[in-house]
Every structure is written in structure tokens, then in C-alpha cells.
PDB file of all heavy atoms in Angstrom:
ATOM      1  N   ILE Q   1     -13.735  -6.014   0.952  1.00 92.00           N
ATOM      2  CA  ILE Q   1     -13.222  -4.936   1.829  1.00 92.00           C
ATOM      3  C   ILE Q   1     -12.865  -5.474   3.135  1.00 92.00           C
ATOM      4  O   ILE Q   1     -11.809  -5.211   3.736  1.00 92.00           O
ATOM      5  CB  ILE Q   1     -14.220  -3.867   1.916  1.00 92.00           C
ATOM      6  CG1 ILE Q   1     -14.360  -3.094   0.597  1.00 92.00           C
ATOM      7  CG2 ILE Q   1     -13.856  -2.864   3.036  1.00 92.00           C
ATOM      8  CD1 ILE Q   1     -15.485  -2.074   0.541  1.00 92.00           C
ATOM      9  N   GLU Q   2     -13.735  -6.341   3.735  1.00 94.00           N
ATOM     10  CA  GLU Q   2     -13.428  -6.899   5.062  1.00 94.00           C
ATOM     11  C   GLU Q   2     -12.243  -7.841   5.025  1.00 94.00           C
ATOM     12  O   GLU Q   2     -11.476  -7.876   5.936  1.00 94.00           O
ATOM     13  CB  GLU Q   2     -14.652  -7.639   5.531  1.00 94.00           C
ATOM     14  CG  GLU Q   2     -15.847  -6.753   5.944  1.00 94.00           C
ATOM     15  CD  GLU Q   2     -15.472  -5.712   6.943  1.00 94.00           C
ATOM     16  OE1 GLU Q   2     -14.815  -6.028   7.956  1.00 94.00           O
ATOM     17  OE2 GLU Q   2     -15.778  -4.533   6.767  1.00 94.00           O
ATOM     18  N   LYS Q   3     -12.076  -8.553   3.891  1.00 95.00           N
ATOM     19  CA  LYS Q   3     -10.911  -9.455   3.793  1.00 95.00           C
ATOM     20  C   LYS Q   3      -9.661  -8.633   3.811  1.00 95.00           C
ATOM     21  O   LYS Q   3      -8.620  -8.961   4.546  1.00 95.00           O
ATOM     22  CB  LYS Q   3     -11.014 -10.234   2.470  1.00 95.00           C
ATOM     23  CG  LYS Q   3      -9.826 -11.184   2.203  1.00 95.00           C
ATOM     24  CD  LYS Q   3      -9.870 -11.806   0.854  1.00 95.00           C
ATOM     25  CE  LYS Q   3      -9.400 -10.808  -0.213  1.00 95.00           C
ATOM     26  NZ  LYS Q   3      -9.178 -11.423  -1.554  1.00 95.00           N
ATOM     27  N   PHE Q   4      -9.590  -7.539   3.037  1.00 96.00           N
ATOM     28  CA  PHE Q   4      -8.361  -6.733   2.981  1.00 96.00           C
ATOM     29  C   PHE Q   4      -8.133  -5.989   4.315  1.00 96.00           C
ATOM     30  O   PHE Q   4      -7.032  -5.800   4.720  1.00 96.00           O
ATOM     31  CB  PHE Q   4      -8.420  -5.788   1.814  1.00 96.00           C
ATOM     32  CG  PHE Q   4      -8.275  -6.431   0.467  1.00 96.00           C
ATOM     33  CD1 PHE Q   4      -9.200  -6.275  -0.546  1.00 96.00           C
ATOM     34  CD2 PHE Q   4      -7.168  -7.286   0.213  1.00 96.00           C
ATOM     35  CE1 PHE Q   4      -9.115  -6.869  -1.762  1.00 96.00           C
ATOM     36  CE2 PHE Q   4      -7.037  -7.904  -1.029  1.00 96.00           C
ATOM     37  CZ  PHE Q   4      -8.033  -7.701  -2.033  1.00 96.00           C
ATOM     38  N   LYS Q   5      -9.246  -5.599   4.947  1.00 96.00           N
ATOM     39  CA  LYS Q   5      -9.119  -4.959   6.236  1.00 96.00           C
ATOM     40  C   LYS Q   5      -8.469  -5.859   7.279  1.00 96.00           C
ATOM     41  O   LYS Q   5      -7.554  -5.478   8.034  1.00 96.00           O
ATOM     42  CB  LYS Q   5     -10.466  -4.507   6.683  1.00 96.00           C
ATOM     43  CG  LYS Q   5     -10.461  -3.507   7.863  1.00 96.00           C
ATOM     44  CD  LYS Q   5     -11.845  -2.941   8.101  1.00 96.00           C
ATOM     45  CE  LYS Q   5     -11.885  -1.953   9.217  1.00 96.00           C
ATOM     46  NZ  LYS Q   5     -13.254  -1.401   9.473  1.00 96.00           N
ATOM     47  N   ALA Q   6      -8.866  -7.122   7.264  1.00 97.00           N
ATOM     48  CA  ALA Q   6      -8.278  -8.125   8.161  1.00 97.00           C
ATOM     49  C   ALA Q   6      -6.805  -8.320   7.904  1.00 97.00           C
ATOM     50  O   ALA Q   6      -5.998  -8.513   8.790  1.00 97.00           O
ATOM     51  CB  ALA Q   6      -9.045  -9.438   8.101  1.00 97.00           C
ATOM     52  N   ILE Q   7      -6.467  -8.352   6.589  1.00 97.00           N
ATOM     53  CA  ILE Q   7      -5.053  -8.488   6.243  1.00 97.00           C
ATOM     54  C   ILE Q   7      -4.210  -7.338   6.771  1.00 97.00           C
ATOM     55  O   ILE Q   7      -3.108  -7.509   7.354  1.00 97.00           O
ATOM     56  CB  ILE Q   7      -4.906  -8.585   4.710  1.00 97.00           C
ATOM     57  CG1 ILE Q   7      -5.454  -9.918   4.171  1.00 97.00           C
ATOM     58  CG2 ILE Q   7      -3.463  -8.415   4.244  1.00 97.00           C
ATOM     59  CD1 ILE Q   7      -5.563 -10.000   2.681  1.00 97.00           C
ATOM     60  N   VAL Q   8      -4.729  -6.092   6.582  1.00 97.00           N
ATOM     61  CA  VAL Q   8      -3.945  -4.931   7.023  1.00 97.00           C
ATOM     62  C   VAL Q   8      -3.827  -4.855   8.538  1.00 97.00           C
ATOM     63  O   VAL Q   8      -2.792  -4.447   9.064  1.00 97.00           O
ATOM     64  CB  VAL Q   8      -4.670  -3.645   6.502  1.00 97.00           C
ATOM     65  CG1 VAL Q   8      -4.013  -2.410   7.040  1.00 97.00           C
ATOM     66  CG2 VAL Q   8      -4.601  -3.640   4.972  1.00 97.00           C
ATOM     67  N   LEU Q   9      -4.902  -5.251   9.249  1.00 97.00           N
ATOM     68  CA  LEU Q   9      -4.919  -5.122  10.721  1.00 97.00           C
ATOM     69  C   LEU Q   9      -4.361  -6.330  11.425  1.00 97.00           C
ATOM     70  O   LEU Q   9      -4.376  -6.404  12.675  1.00 97.00           O
ATOM     71  CB  LEU Q   9      -6.358  -4.850  11.178  1.00 97.00           C
ATOM     72  CG  LEU Q   9      -6.950  -3.556  10.688  1.00 97.00           C
ATOM     73  CD1 LEU Q   9      -8.384  -3.427  11.138  1.00 97.00           C
ATOM     74  CD2 LEU Q   9      -6.143  -2.360  11.147  1.00 97.00           C
ATOM     75  N   ASN Q  10      -3.853  -7.321  10.712  1.00 96.00           N
ATOM     76  CA  ASN Q  10      -3.305  -8.534  11.339  1.00 96.00           C
ATOM     77  C   ASN Q  10      -2.066  -8.213  12.114  1.00 96.00           C
ATOM     78  O   ASN Q  10      -1.013  -7.838  11.588  1.00 96.00           O
ATOM     79  CB  ASN Q  10      -2.976  -9.568  10.242  1.00 96.00           C
ATOM     80  CG  ASN Q  10      -2.425 -10.843  10.823  1.00 96.00           C
ATOM     81  OD1 ASN Q  10      -2.331 -11.029  12.001  1.00 96.00           O
ATOM     82  ND2 ASN Q  10      -2.090 -11.798   9.911  1.00 96.00           N
ATOM     83  N   GLU Q  11      -2.170  -8.253  13.425  1.00 94.00           N
ATOM     84  CA  GLU Q  11      -1.054  -7.892  14.374  1.00 94.00           C
ATOM     85  C   GLU Q  11       0.088  -8.887  14.342  1.00 94.00           C
ATOM     86  O   GLU Q  11       1.187  -8.566  14.760  1.00 94.00           O
ATOM     87  CB  GLU Q  11      -1.608  -7.689  15.777  1.00 94.00           C
ATOM     88  CG  GLU Q  11      -2.544  -6.557  15.927  1.00 94.00           C
ATOM     89  CD  GLU Q  11      -3.062  -6.396  17.340  1.00 94.00           C
ATOM     90  OE1 GLU Q  11      -2.616  -7.251  18.193  1.00 94.00           O
ATOM     91  OE2 GLU Q  11      -3.784  -5.433  17.600  1.00 94.00           O
ATOM     92  N   ASP Q  12      -0.160 -10.082  13.821  1.00 96.00           N
ATOM     93  CA  ASP Q  12       0.892 -11.082  13.804  1.00 96.00           C
ATOM     94  C   ASP Q  12       1.754 -11.039  12.512  1.00 96.00           C
ATOM     95  O   ASP Q  12       2.740 -11.731  12.352  1.00 96.00           O
ATOM     96  CB  ASP Q  12       0.316 -12.499  13.911  1.00 96.00           C
ATOM     97  CG  ASP Q  12      -0.409 -12.751  15.265  1.00 96.00           C
ATOM     98  OD1 ASP Q  12       0.115 -12.145  16.204  1.00 96.00           O
ATOM     99  OD2 ASP Q  12      -1.428 -13.390  15.299  1.00 96.00           O
ATOM    100  N   ALA Q  13       1.290 -10.162  11.536  1.00 96.00           N
ATOM    101  CA  ALA Q  13       2.031 -10.092  10.250  1.00 96.00           C
ATOM    102  C   ALA Q  13       3.249  -9.190  10.402  1.00 96.00           C
ATOM    103  O   ALA Q  13       3.354  -8.430  11.317  1.00 96.00           O
ATOM    104  CB  ALA Q  13       1.081  -9.504   9.187  1.00 96.00           C
ATOM    105  N   PRO Q  14       4.196  -9.361   9.518  1.00 96.00           N
ATOM    106  CA  PRO Q  14       5.367  -8.481   9.527  1.00 96.00           C
ATOM    107  C   PRO Q  14       4.983  -7.064   9.321  1.00 96.00           C
ATOM    108  O   PRO Q  14       3.955  -6.728   8.742  1.00 96.00           O
ATOM    109  CB  PRO Q  14       6.200  -9.033   8.286  1.00 96.00           C
ATOM    110  CG  PRO Q  14       5.715 -10.381   8.051  1.00 96.00           C
ATOM    111  CD  PRO Q  14       4.257 -10.386   8.458  1.00 96.00           C
ATOM    112  N   GLU Q  15       5.870  -6.161   9.845  1.00 96.00           N
ATOM    113  CA  GLU Q  15       5.632  -4.736   9.660  1.00 96.00           C
ATOM    114  C   GLU Q  15       5.625  -4.321   8.175  1.00 96.00           C
ATOM    115  O   GLU Q  15       6.346  -4.898   7.362  1.00 96.00           O
ATOM    116  CB  GLU Q  15       6.715  -3.899  10.369  1.00 96.00           C
ATOM    117  CG  GLU Q  15       6.615  -3.938  11.860  1.00 96.00           C
ATOM    118  CD  GLU Q  15       5.394  -3.126  12.369  1.00 96.00           C
ATOM    119  OE1 GLU Q  15       5.119  -2.072  11.872  1.00 96.00           O
ATOM    120  OE2 GLU Q  15       4.641  -3.695  13.192  1.00 96.00           O
ATOM    121  N   PRO Q  16       4.793  -3.364   7.803  1.00 97.00           N
ATOM    122  CA  PRO Q  16       4.758  -2.953   6.382  1.00 97.00           C
ATOM    123  C   PRO Q  16       6.058  -2.271   6.042  1.00 97.00           C
ATOM    124  O   PRO Q  16       6.731  -1.651   6.855  1.00 97.00           O
ATOM    125  CB  PRO Q  16       3.654  -1.909   6.368  1.00 97.00           C
ATOM    126  CG  PRO Q  16       2.840  -2.098   7.606  1.00 97.00           C
ATOM    127  CD  PRO Q  16       3.736  -2.664   8.609  1.00 97.00           C
ATOM    128  N   ASP Q  17       6.447  -2.493   4.745  1.00 96.00           N
ATOM    129  CA  ASP Q  17       7.650  -1.916   4.135  1.00 96.00           C
ATOM    130  C   ASP Q  17       7.199  -0.734   3.327  1.00 96.00           C
ATOM    131  O   ASP Q  17       6.706  -0.909   2.213  1.00 96.00           O
ATOM    132  CB  ASP Q  17       8.400  -2.989   3.330  1.00 96.00           C
ATOM    133  CG  ASP Q  17       9.683  -2.502   2.757  1.00 96.00           C
ATOM    134  OD1 ASP Q  17       9.866  -1.250   2.627  1.00 96.00           O
ATOM    135  OD2 ASP Q  17      10.521  -3.330   2.364  1.00 96.00           O
ATOM    136  N   LEU Q  18       7.426   0.466   3.812  1.00 96.00           N
ATOM    137  CA  LEU Q  18       6.924   1.659   3.089  1.00 96.00           C
ATOM    138  C   LEU Q  18       7.641   1.856   1.770  1.00 96.00           C
ATOM    139  O   LEU Q  18       7.023   2.323   0.792  1.00 96.00           O
ATOM    140  CB  LEU Q  18       7.093   2.895   3.989  1.00 96.00           C
ATOM    141  CG  LEU Q  18       6.166   3.003   5.184  1.00 96.00           C
ATOM    142  CD1 LEU Q  18       6.447   4.262   6.014  1.00 96.00           C
ATOM    143  CD2 LEU Q  18       4.673   3.068   4.706  1.00 96.00           C
ATOM    144  N   ALA Q  19       8.939   1.550   1.709  1.00 96.00           N
ATOM    145  CA  ALA Q  19       9.679   1.678   0.459  1.00 96.00           C
ATOM    146  C   ALA Q  19       9.101   0.775  -0.622  1.00 96.00           C
ATOM    147  O   ALA Q  19       9.008   1.137  -1.791  1.00 96.00           O
ATOM    148  CB  ALA Q  19      11.152   1.390   0.673  1.00 96.00           C
ATOM    149  N   HIS Q  20       8.759  -0.434  -0.210  1.00 97.00           N
ATOM    150  CA  HIS Q  20       8.123  -1.354  -1.157  1.00 97.00           C
ATOM    151  C   HIS Q  20       6.697  -0.910  -1.492  1.00 97.00           C
ATOM    152  O   HIS Q  20       6.233  -1.056  -2.705  1.00 97.00           O
ATOM    153  CB  HIS Q  20       8.100  -2.786  -0.589  1.00 97.00           C
ATOM    154  CG  HIS Q  20       7.644  -3.811  -1.539  1.00 97.00           C
ATOM    155  ND1 HIS Q  20       6.485  -4.598  -1.314  1.00 97.00           N
ATOM    156  CD2 HIS Q  20       8.047  -4.174  -2.790  1.00 97.00           C
ATOM    157  CE1 HIS Q  20       6.310  -5.417  -2.311  1.00 97.00           C
ATOM    158  NE2 HIS Q  20       7.237  -5.148  -3.263  1.00 97.00           N
ATOM    159  N   GLY Q  21       5.974  -0.311  -0.513  1.00 97.00           N
ATOM    160  CA  GLY Q  21       4.695   0.188  -0.774  1.00 97.00           C
ATOM    161  C   GLY Q  21       4.680   1.314  -1.798  1.00 97.00           C
ATOM    162  O   GLY Q  21       3.851   1.393  -2.670  1.00 97.00           O
ATOM    163  N   ARG Q  22       5.723   2.178  -1.711  1.00 96.00           N
ATOM    164  CA  ARG Q  22       5.818   3.282  -2.710  1.00 96.00           C
ATOM    165  C   ARG Q  22       6.155   2.675  -4.084  1.00 96.00           C
ATOM    166  O   ARG Q  22       5.657   3.146  -5.116  1.00 96.00           O
ATOM    167  CB  ARG Q  22       6.912   4.258  -2.326  1.00 96.00           C
ATOM    168  CG  ARG Q  22       6.956   5.441  -3.270  1.00 96.00           C
ATOM    169  CD  ARG Q  22       7.985   6.510  -2.898  1.00 96.00           C
ATOM    170  NE  ARG Q  22       8.122   7.488  -3.958  1.00 96.00           N
ATOM    171  CZ  ARG Q  22       8.997   8.461  -3.955  1.00 96.00           C
ATOM    172  NH1 ARG Q  22       9.847   8.628  -2.973  1.00 96.00           N
ATOM    173  NH2 ARG Q  22       9.034   9.294  -4.999  1.00 96.00           N
ATOM    174  N   LEU Q  23       6.969   1.589  -4.126  1.00 95.00           N
ATOM    175  CA  LEU Q  23       7.207   0.944  -5.411  1.00 95.00           C
ATOM    176  C   LEU Q  23       5.920   0.379  -6.011  1.00 95.00           C
ATOM    177  O   LEU Q  23       5.643   0.573  -7.217  1.00 95.00           O
ATOM    178  CB  LEU Q  23       8.215  -0.228  -5.176  1.00 95.00           C
ATOM    179  CG  LEU Q  23       8.430  -1.125  -6.388  1.00 95.00           C
ATOM    180  CD1 LEU Q  23       9.078  -0.383  -7.542  1.00 95.00           C
ATOM    181  CD2 LEU Q  23       9.270  -2.332  -5.988  1.00 95.00           C
ATOM    182  N   LEU Q  24       5.107  -0.251  -5.208  1.00 95.00           N
ATOM    183  CA  LEU Q  24       3.787  -0.746  -5.686  1.00 95.00           C
ATOM    184  C   LEU Q  24       2.889   0.364  -6.188  1.00 95.00           C
ATOM    185  O   LEU Q  24       2.195   0.224  -7.213  1.00 95.00           O
ATOM    186  CB  LEU Q  24       3.152  -1.601  -4.620  1.00 95.00           C
ATOM    187  CG  LEU Q  24       3.845  -2.866  -4.188  1.00 95.00           C
ATOM    188  CD1 LEU Q  24       3.183  -3.467  -2.993  1.00 95.00           C
ATOM    189  CD2 LEU Q  24       3.942  -3.838  -5.332  1.00 95.00           C
ATOM    190  N   PHE Q  25       2.905   1.459  -5.435  1.00 94.00           N
ATOM    191  CA  PHE Q  25       2.156   2.630  -5.879  1.00 94.00           C
ATOM    192  C   PHE Q  25       2.599   3.139  -7.242  1.00 94.00           C
ATOM    193  O   PHE Q  25       1.774   3.495  -8.141  1.00 94.00           O
ATOM    194  CB  PHE Q  25       2.222   3.722  -4.821  1.00 94.00           C
ATOM    195  CG  PHE Q  25       1.608   5.055  -5.206  1.00 94.00           C
ATOM    196  CD1 PHE Q  25       0.238   5.200  -4.981  1.00 94.00           C
ATOM    197  CD2 PHE Q  25       2.263   6.090  -5.831  1.00 94.00           C
ATOM    198  CE1 PHE Q  25      -0.445   6.379  -5.317  1.00 94.00           C
ATOM    199  CE2 PHE Q  25       1.590   7.285  -6.205  1.00 94.00           C
ATOM    200  CZ  PHE Q  25       0.239   7.425  -5.910  1.00 94.00           C
ATOM    201  N   SER Q  26       3.908   3.142  -7.433  1.00 92.00           N
ATOM    202  CA  SER Q  26       4.421   3.656  -8.701  1.00 92.00           C
ATOM    203  C   SER Q  26       4.054   2.747  -9.855  1.00 92.00           C
ATOM    204  O   SER Q  26       3.890   3.162 -11.034  1.00 92.00           O
ATOM    205  CB  SER Q  26       5.989   3.785  -8.677  1.00 92.00           C
ATOM    206  OG  SER Q  26       6.612   2.514  -8.657  1.00 92.00           O
ATOM    207  N   GLN Q  27       3.844   1.427  -9.592  1.00 89.00           N
ATOM    208  CA  GLN Q  27       3.496   0.458 -10.554  1.00 89.00           C
ATOM    209  C   GLN Q  27       2.038   0.418 -10.870  1.00 89.00           C
ATOM    210  O   GLN Q  27       1.590   0.091 -11.968  1.00 89.00           O
ATOM    211  CB  GLN Q  27       3.986  -0.909 -10.178  1.00 89.00           C
ATOM    212  CG  GLN Q  27       5.511  -1.030 -10.086  1.00 89.00           C
ATOM    213  CD  GLN Q  27       5.967  -2.322  -9.435  1.00 89.00           C
ATOM    214  OE1 GLN Q  27       5.191  -2.983  -8.704  1.00 89.00           O
ATOM    215  NE2 GLN Q  27       7.175  -2.775  -9.688  1.00 89.00           N
ATOM    216  N   THR Q  28       1.180   0.718  -9.855  1.00 87.00           N
ATOM    217  CA  THR Q  28      -0.257   0.512  -9.949  1.00 87.00           C
ATOM    218  C   THR Q  28      -1.039   1.845 -10.035  1.00 87.00           C
ATOM    219  O   THR Q  28      -2.015   1.856 -10.794  1.00 87.00           O
ATOM    220  CB  THR Q  28      -0.756  -0.243  -8.708  1.00 87.00           C
ATOM    221  OG1 THR Q  28       0.084  -1.448  -8.541  1.00 87.00           O
ATOM    222  CG2 THR Q  28      -2.186  -0.593  -8.791  1.00 87.00           C
ATOM    223  N   CYS Q  29      -0.663   2.855  -9.275  1.00 89.00           N
ATOM    224  CA  CYS Q  29      -1.514   4.025  -9.121  1.00 89.00           C
ATOM    225  C   CYS Q  29      -0.895   5.325  -9.707  1.00 89.00           C
ATOM    226  O   CYS Q  29      -1.636   6.245 -10.067  1.00 89.00           O
ATOM    227  CB  CYS Q  29      -1.771   4.268  -7.620  1.00 89.00           C
ATOM    228  SG  CYS Q  29      -2.141   2.793  -6.671  1.00 89.00           S
ATOM    229  N   GLN Q  30       0.409   5.446  -9.770  1.00 90.00           N
ATOM    230  CA  GLN Q  30       1.083   6.601 -10.054  1.00 90.00           C
ATOM    231  C   GLN Q  30       0.853   7.147 -11.488  1.00 90.00           C
ATOM    232  O   GLN Q  30       0.941   8.359 -11.711  1.00 90.00           O
ATOM    233  CB  GLN Q  30       2.579   6.446  -9.822  1.00 90.00           C
ATOM    234  CG  GLN Q  30       3.406   7.741  -9.886  1.00 90.00           C
ATOM    235  CD  GLN Q  30       4.784   7.498  -9.439  1.00 90.00           C
ATOM    236  OE1 GLN Q  30       5.044   7.254  -8.218  1.00 90.00           O
ATOM    237  NE2 GLN Q  30       5.762   7.597 -10.284  1.00 90.00           N
ATOM    238  N   GLN Q  31       0.487   6.246 -12.409  1.00 84.00           N
ATOM    239  CA  GLN Q  31       0.233   6.692 -13.742  1.00 84.00           C
ATOM    240  C   GLN Q  31      -0.919   7.672 -13.805  1.00 84.00           C
ATOM    241  O   GLN Q  31      -0.991   8.513 -14.660  1.00 84.00           O
ATOM    242  CB  GLN Q  31      -0.066   5.548 -14.681  1.00 84.00           C
ATOM    243  CG  GLN Q  31       1.080   4.626 -15.003  1.00 84.00           C
ATOM    244  CD  GLN Q  31       1.329   3.594 -13.863  1.00 84.00           C
ATOM    245  OE1 GLN Q  31       0.518   3.457 -12.957  1.00 84.00           O
ATOM    246  NE2 GLN Q  31       2.460   2.931 -13.954  1.00 84.00           N
ATOM    247  N   CYS Q  32      -1.851   7.533 -12.835  1.00 85.00           N
ATOM    248  CA  CYS Q  32      -3.057   8.318 -12.801  1.00 85.00           C
ATOM    249  C   CYS Q  32      -3.121   9.346 -11.680  1.00 85.00           C
ATOM    250  O   CYS Q  32      -3.706  10.411 -11.843  1.00 85.00           O
ATOM    251  CB  CYS Q  32      -4.291   7.400 -12.794  1.00 85.00           C
ATOM    252  SG  CYS Q  32      -4.476   6.337 -14.240  1.00 85.00           S
ATOM    253  N   HIS Q  33      -2.633   8.968 -10.498  1.00 89.00           N
ATOM    254  CA  HIS Q  33      -2.782   9.795  -9.311  1.00 89.00           C
ATOM    255  C   HIS Q  33      -1.475  10.353  -8.831  1.00 89.00           C
ATOM    256  O   HIS Q  33      -0.428   9.728  -8.893  1.00 89.00           O
ATOM    257  CB  HIS Q  33      -3.365   8.953  -8.183  1.00 89.00           C
ATOM    258  CG  HIS Q  33      -4.741   8.456  -8.406  1.00 89.00           C
ATOM    259  ND1 HIS Q  33      -5.839   9.290  -8.296  1.00 89.00           N
ATOM    260  CD2 HIS Q  33      -5.261   7.255  -8.773  1.00 89.00           C
ATOM    261  CE1 HIS Q  33      -6.958   8.550  -8.525  1.00 89.00           C
ATOM    262  NE2 HIS Q  33      -6.620   7.342  -8.831  1.00 89.00           N
ATOM    263  N   GLN Q  34      -1.536  11.595  -8.320  1.00 91.00           N
ATOM    264  CA  GLN Q  34      -0.445  12.206  -7.666  1.00 91.00           C
ATOM    265  C   GLN Q  34      -0.518  11.982  -6.137  1.00 91.00           C
ATOM    266  O   GLN Q  34      -1.607  12.038  -5.579  1.00 91.00           O
ATOM    267  CB  GLN Q  34      -0.377  13.735  -7.899  1.00 91.00           C
ATOM    268  CG  GLN Q  34       0.193  14.117  -9.223  1.00 91.00           C
ATOM    269  CD  GLN Q  34       0.704  15.557  -9.257  1.00 91.00           C
ATOM    270  OE1 GLN Q  34       1.044  16.111  -8.214  1.00 91.00           O
ATOM    271  NE2 GLN Q  34       0.782  16.109 -10.433  1.00 91.00           N
ATOM    272  N   LEU Q  35       0.620  11.704  -5.522  1.00 93.00           N
ATOM    273  CA  LEU Q  35       0.794  11.643  -4.055  1.00 93.00           C
ATOM    274  C   LEU Q  35       2.075  12.229  -3.719  1.00 93.00           C
ATOM    275  O   LEU Q  35       3.131  11.890  -4.297  1.00 93.00           O
ATOM    276  CB  LEU Q  35       0.673  10.176  -3.602  1.00 93.00           C
ATOM    277  CG  LEU Q  35       0.779   9.957  -2.079  1.00 93.00           C
ATOM    278  CD1 LEU Q  35      -0.325  10.773  -1.350  1.00 93.00           C
ATOM    279  CD2 LEU Q  35       0.673   8.533  -1.746  1.00 93.00           C
ATOM    280  N   PHE Q  36       2.090  13.226  -2.845  1.00 92.00           N
ATOM    281  CA  PHE Q  36       3.260  14.038  -2.421  1.00 92.00           C
ATOM    282  C   PHE Q  36       3.954  14.613  -3.660  1.00 92.00           C
ATOM    283  O   PHE Q  36       5.209  14.619  -3.758  1.00 92.00           O
ATOM    284  CB  PHE Q  36       4.214  13.084  -1.653  1.00 92.00           C
ATOM    285  CG  PHE Q  36       3.620  12.494  -0.456  1.00 92.00           C
ATOM    286  CD1 PHE Q  36       3.608  11.136  -0.251  1.00 92.00           C
ATOM    287  CD2 PHE Q  36       3.102  13.296   0.595  1.00 92.00           C
ATOM    288  CE1 PHE Q  36       3.037  10.581   0.867  1.00 92.00           C
ATOM    289  CE2 PHE Q  36       2.544  12.716   1.708  1.00 92.00           C
ATOM    290  CZ  PHE Q  36       2.519  11.369   1.864  1.00 92.00           C
ATOM    291  N   GLY Q  37       3.166  15.087  -4.633  1.00 89.00           N
ATOM    292  CA  GLY Q  37       3.713  15.783  -5.780  1.00 89.00           C
ATOM    293  C   GLY Q  37       4.275  14.888  -6.884  1.00 89.00           C
ATOM    294  O   GLY Q  37       4.849  15.421  -7.879  1.00 89.00           O
ATOM    295  N   VAL Q  38       4.126  13.607  -6.774  1.00 89.00           N
ATOM    296  CA  VAL Q  38       4.645  12.674  -7.797  1.00 89.00           C
ATOM    297  C   VAL Q  38       3.487  11.890  -8.409  1.00 89.00           C
ATOM    298  O   VAL Q  38       2.694  11.331  -7.680  1.00 89.00           O
ATOM    299  CB  VAL Q  38       5.652  11.671  -7.159  1.00 89.00           C
ATOM    300  CG1 VAL Q  38       6.212  10.734  -8.248  1.00 89.00           C
ATOM    301  CG2 VAL Q  38       6.830  12.466  -6.523  1.00 89.00           C
TER     302      VAL Q  38
END
């Protein structure tokens, strides 16, 4: 958890790409979970 938290909070890293994040959600989580009605 601490490792991933450091990755997310790394201020020197590129900005997150939300469109790619939604793609990853559709591949990993969307089969089971709804988010924003999908």
C-alpha cells in the first residue's frame, strides 16, 4: 500500500491520463463493479 501510495503522490511523475485510467478500469474492474452507471 505504501509503495503504491508513493507512486500516486510522486510530484515529479507525469500527470495522470483519465481516459487511459477509464480504459484500465474497463479491463480490470468493470466486469464486476459499476462506476458512473457503467
Side-chain angles (χ1 to χ4, degrees):
I1 290 171
E2 290 305 313
K3 179 187 79 171
F4 289 125
K5 193 171 182 179
I7 289 171
V8 173
L9 297 177
N10 181 2
E11 295 182 357
D12 296 326
E15 285 293 312
D17 182 341
L18 289 176
H20 186 239
R22 183 177 173 188
L23 171 65
L24 295 172
F25 177 83
S26 74
Q27 295 170 337
T28 307
C29 318
Q30 188 171 293
Q31 291 82 12
C32 297
H33 294 283
Q34 280 202 23
L35 181 57
F36 303 121
V38 179

